[in-house]
Coordinates of all heavy atoms in Angstrom, one line a residue:
D1 N -4.5 98.4 -117.4 CA -5.9 98.2 -116.9 C -6.6 96.9 -117.5 O -7.3 96.2 -116.9 CB -6.8 99.4 -117.0 CG -6.3 100.6 -116.2 OD1 -5.7 100.4 -115.1 OD2 -6.5 101.8 -116.5
V2 N -6.6 96.9 -118.9 CA -7.2 95.7 -119.6 C -6.6 94.5 -119.1 O -7.3 93.4 -118.9 CB -7.1 96.0 -121.1 CG1 -7.5 94.7 -121.8 CG2 -8.0 97.2 -121.5
A3 N -5.3 94.4 -119.1 CA -4.5 93.1 -118.7 C -4.9 92.8 -117.2 O -5.2 91.6 -117.0 CB -3.1 93.3 -118.9
R4 N -4.9 93.8 -116.3 CA -5.1 93.5 -115.0 C -6.5 92.9 -114.8 O -6.7 91.9 -114.1 CB -5.0 94.8 -114.2 CG -4.0 94.6 -113.1 CD -3.9 95.8 -112.3 NE -5.0 96.0 -111.3 CZ -5.3 97.0 -110.5 NH1 -4.5 98.0 -110.6 NH2 -6.3 96.9 -109.7
K5 N -7.5 93.4 -115.4 CA -8.9 93.1 -115.4 C -9.1 91.5 -115.9 O -9.7 90.8 -115.3 CB -9.8 93.9 -116.1 CG -10.1 95.3 -115.3 CD -11.0 96.2 -116.2 CE -11.0 97.5 -115.4 NZ -11.6 98.6 -116.2
F6 N -8.4 91.3 -116.9 CA -8.4 90.0 -117.5 C -7.8 89.0 -116.5 O -8.4 87.9 -116.3 CB -7.6 89.9 -118.9 CG -7.5 88.6 -119.4 CD1 -8.5 88.0 -120.2 CD2 -6.4 87.7 -119.3 CE1 -8.5 86.8 -120.8 CE2 -6.2 86.5 -119.9 CZ -7.4 86.0 -120.6
Y7 N -6.5 89.2 -116.0 CA -6.0 88.2 -115.1 C -6.7 88.2 -113.8 O -6.7 87.1 -113.2 CB -4.5 88.6 -115.0 CG -3.8 88.1 -116.3 CD1 -3.5 89.0 -117.2 CD2 -3.3 86.8 -116.3 CE1 -2.7 88.6 -118.4 CE2 -2.7 86.4 -117.5 CZ -2.4 87.3 -118.5 OH -1.8 86.8 -119.7
E8 N -7.3 89.2 -113.4 CA -8.2 89.1 -112.2 C -9.4 88.2 -112.4 O -9.8 87.4 -111.5 CB -8.8 90.5 -111.8 CG -7.7 91.4 -111.2 CD -8.1 92.9 -111.0 OE1 -9.2 93.3 -111.5 OE2 -7.3 93.6 -110.4
L9 N -9.9 88.2 -113.6 CA -11.0 87.2 -114.0 C -10.5 85.8 -113.8 O -11.3 84.8 -113.5 CB -11.5 87.4 -115.4 CG -12.4 88.7 -115.6 CD1 -12.7 88.9 -117.1 CD2 -13.7 88.7 -114.8
L10 N -9.2 85.6 -114.0 CA -8.7 84.2 -114.0 C -8.2 84.0 -112.5 O -7.7 82.8 -112.3 CB -7.5 84.0 -114.9 CG -7.8 84.1 -116.4 CD1 -6.7 84.1 -117.3 CD2 -8.9 82.9 -116.7
G11 N -8.4 84.8 -111.6 CA -8.1 84.5 -110.2 C -6.9 85.2 -109.6 O -6.6 85.0 -108.4
W12 N -6.2 86.0 -110.4 CA -5.0 86.7 -109.8 C -5.4 88.0 -109.3 O -6.3 88.7 -109.9 CB -3.9 86.8 -110.9 CG -3.0 85.6 -111.0 CD1 -2.0 85.2 -110.3 CD2 -3.2 84.5 -112.0 NE1 -1.4 84.1 -110.7 CE2 -2.1 83.6 -111.8 CE3 -4.1 84.3 -113.0 CZ2 -1.9 82.5 -112.5 CZ3 -3.9 83.1 -113.8 CH2 -2.9 82.2 -113.5
E13 N -4.7 88.6 -108.3 CA -4.9 90.0 -107.9 C -3.5 90.6 -107.7 O -2.5 90.0 -107.3 CB -5.7 90.0 -106.6 CG -5.0 89.5 -105.4 CD -5.8 89.6 -104.1 OE1 -5.9 90.7 -103.7 OE2 -6.2 88.6 -103.5
E14 N -3.5 91.9 -107.9 CA -2.3 92.7 -107.8 C -1.9 92.8 -106.4 O -2.7 93.1 -105.6 CB -2.4 94.0 -108.4 CG -1.1 94.8 -108.4 CD -1.3 96.1 -109.1 OE1 -1.0 96.2 -110.3 OE2 -1.6 97.2 -108.5
V15 N -0.7 92.4 -105.9 CA -0.2 92.5 -104.6 C 1.0 93.4 -104.5 O 1.1 94.0 -103.4 CB 0.2 91.0 -104.1 CG1 -1.0 90.2 -103.9 CG2 1.2 90.4 -104.9
I16 N 1.6 93.7 -105.6 CA 2.7 94.7 -105.5 C 2.7 95.5 -106.8 O 2.7 94.9 -108.0 CB 4.1 94.1 -105.4 CG1 4.1 93.3 -104.0 CG2 5.3 95.1 -105.5 CD1 5.4 92.4 -103.8
D17 N 2.8 96.8 -106.7 CA 2.9 97.6 -108.0 C 4.4 98.0 -108.1 O 5.1 98.3 -107.1 CB 2.1 98.8 -107.8 CG 2.2 99.8 -109.0 OD1 2.5 99.3 -110.2 OD2 1.8 101.0 -108.9
L18 N 5.0 97.9 -109.2 CA 6.4 98.2 -109.5 C 6.6 99.2 -110.5 O 7.1 99.0 -111.7 CB 7.3 96.9 -109.9 CG 7.1 95.7 -108.8 CD1 7.5 94.4 -109.5 CD2 7.9 96.0 -107.6
P19 N 6.2 100.5 -110.2 CA 6.1 101.6 -111.3 C 7.5 101.8 -111.9 O 7.6 102.1 -113.0 CB 5.6 102.8 -110.6 CG 5.8 102.5 -109.1 CD 5.7 101.0 -108.9
K20 N 8.6 101.6 -111.1 CA 10.0 101.9 -111.6 C 10.2 100.9 -112.7 O 11.0 101.3 -113.6 CB 10.9 101.8 -110.5 CG 12.4 101.9 -110.9 CD 13.4 101.7 -109.7 CE 14.8 101.7 -110.2 NZ 15.7 101.5 -109.0
Y21 N 9.6 99.7 -112.7 CA 10.0 98.7 -113.7 C 8.8 98.5 -114.7 O 8.7 97.6 -115.5 CB 10.2 97.4 -113.0 CG 11.4 97.6 -112.1 CD1 11.2 97.6 -110.7 CD2 12.7 97.5 -112.6 CE1 12.2 97.7 -109.9 CE2 13.8 97.6 -111.7 CZ 13.5 97.7 -110.4 OH 14.7 97.8 -109.5
H22 N 7.7 99.4 -114.6 CA 6.5 99.3 -115.4 C 5.9 97.9 -115.4 O 5.7 97.2 -116.3 CB 6.9 99.7 -116.9 CG 7.6 101.0 -117.1 ND1 6.8 102.2 -117.0 CD2 8.8 101.4 -117.2 CE1 7.6 103.1 -117.1 NE2 8.8 102.7 -117.3
A23 N 5.8 97.4 -114.1 CA 5.4 96.1 -113.9 C 4.5 96.0 -112.5 O 4.5 96.9 -111.8 CB 6.6 95.1 -113.9
N24 N 4.0 94.8 -112.4 CA 3.3 94.5 -111.0 C 3.7 93.0 -110.8 O 4.2 92.3 -111.5 CB 2.0 94.8 -111.1 CG 1.1 93.8 -111.8 OD1 1.6 92.8 -112.4 ND2 -0.2 94.0 -111.8
E25 N 3.2 92.6 -109.5 CA 3.2 91.3 -109.1 C 1.8 90.9 -108.9 O 1.1 91.7 -108.1 CB 4.1 90.9 -108.0 CG 5.5 91.0 -108.3 CD 6.4 90.5 -107.1 OE1 5.9 90.0 -106.1 OE2 7.7 90.6 -107.2
M26 N 1.3 89.8 -109.4 CA 0.0 89.3 -109.1 C 0.1 87.9 -108.5 O 1.0 87.2 -108.8 CB -0.9 89.3 -110.3 CG -1.0 90.7 -110.9 SD -2.2 90.7 -112.3 CE -3.7 90.9 -111.5
R27 N -0.8 87.6 -107.5 CA -0.8 86.3 -106.9 C -2.2 85.7 -106.9 O -3.2 86.5 -106.7 CB -0.3 86.5 -105.5 CG -0.2 85.1 -104.7 CD 0.3 85.4 -103.3 NE -0.6 86.2 -102.5 CZ -0.2 87.2 -101.7 NH1 1.0 87.4 -101.5 NH2 -1.1 87.9 -101.1
N28 N -2.4 84.5 -107.1 CA -3.7 83.9 -106.9 C -3.9 83.3 -105.5 O -2.9 83.4 -104.6 CB -4.0 82.8 -108.0 CG -3.3 81.5 -107.9 OD1 -2.6 81.3 -106.9 ND2 -3.5 80.6 -108.8
A29 N -5.0 82.9 -105.2 CA -5.3 82.3 -103.8 C -4.4 81.1 -103.4 O -4.2 80.9 -102.3 CB -6.8 81.9 -103.8
D30 N -3.9 80.4 -104.4 CA -2.9 79.3 -104.1 C -1.4 79.7 -104.1 O -0.6 78.8 -104.1 CB -3.2 78.2 -105.1 CG -4.6 77.5 -104.8 OD1 -4.7 76.9 -103.8 OD2 -5.4 77.6 -105.7
G31 N -1.2 81.0 -104.2 CA 0.2 81.5 -104.1 C 1.0 81.3 -105.4 O 2.2 81.5 -105.4
V32 N 0.3 81.3 -106.5 CA 0.9 81.3 -107.9 C 1.1 82.7 -108.3 O 0.1 83.4 -108.4 CB 0.2 80.5 -108.9 CG1 0.9 80.6 -110.3 CG2 0.1 79.0 -108.4
Y33 N 2.4 83.1 -108.7 CA 2.7 84.4 -109.0 C 2.8 84.6 -110.5 O 3.3 83.7 -111.2 CB 3.9 84.9 -108.4 CG 3.8 85.3 -106.9 CD1 3.9 84.4 -106.0 CD2 3.7 86.7 -106.6 CE1 3.8 84.8 -104.6 CE2 3.6 87.1 -105.3 CZ 3.7 86.1 -104.3 OH 3.5 86.5 -102.9
I34 N 2.4 85.8 -111.0 CA 2.8 86.2 -112.4 C 3.2 87.7 -112.2 O 2.9 88.3 -111.2 CB 1.6 86.1 -113.3 CG1 0.4 87.0 -113.0 CG2 1.2 84.6 -113.6 CD1 -0.7 87.0 -114.0
N35 N 4.0 88.2 -113.2 CA 4.3 89.5 -113.3 C 3.7 90.0 -114.6 O 3.9 89.5 -115.6 CB 5.8 89.8 -113.3 CG 6.5 89.7 -112.0 OD1 6.6 88.6 -111.5 ND2 6.9 90.8 -111.4
L36 N 2.9 91.2 -114.5 CA 2.6 91.8 -115.8 C 3.6 92.9 -116.1 O 3.9 93.7 -115.1 CB 1.1 92.4 -115.8 CG 0.1 91.4 -115.5 CD1 -1.3 92.0 -115.5 CD2 0.1 90.3 -116.6
I37 N 4.1 93.1 -117.3 CA 5.0 94.0 -117.7 C 4.3 95.0 -118.6 O 3.9 94.5 -119.7 CB 6.3 93.3 -118.3 CG1 6.9 92.4 -117.2 CG2 7.3 94.4 -118.6 CD1 7.7 91.3 -117.7

């Protein structure tokens, strides 16, 4: 939750939750992806 909120402040939003991998995919408005693990 803390990490997601931080990266949301920088413009990323969660687009896919990957609970099996304890991860997500986040994308910003310009299509740049990060994964939080």
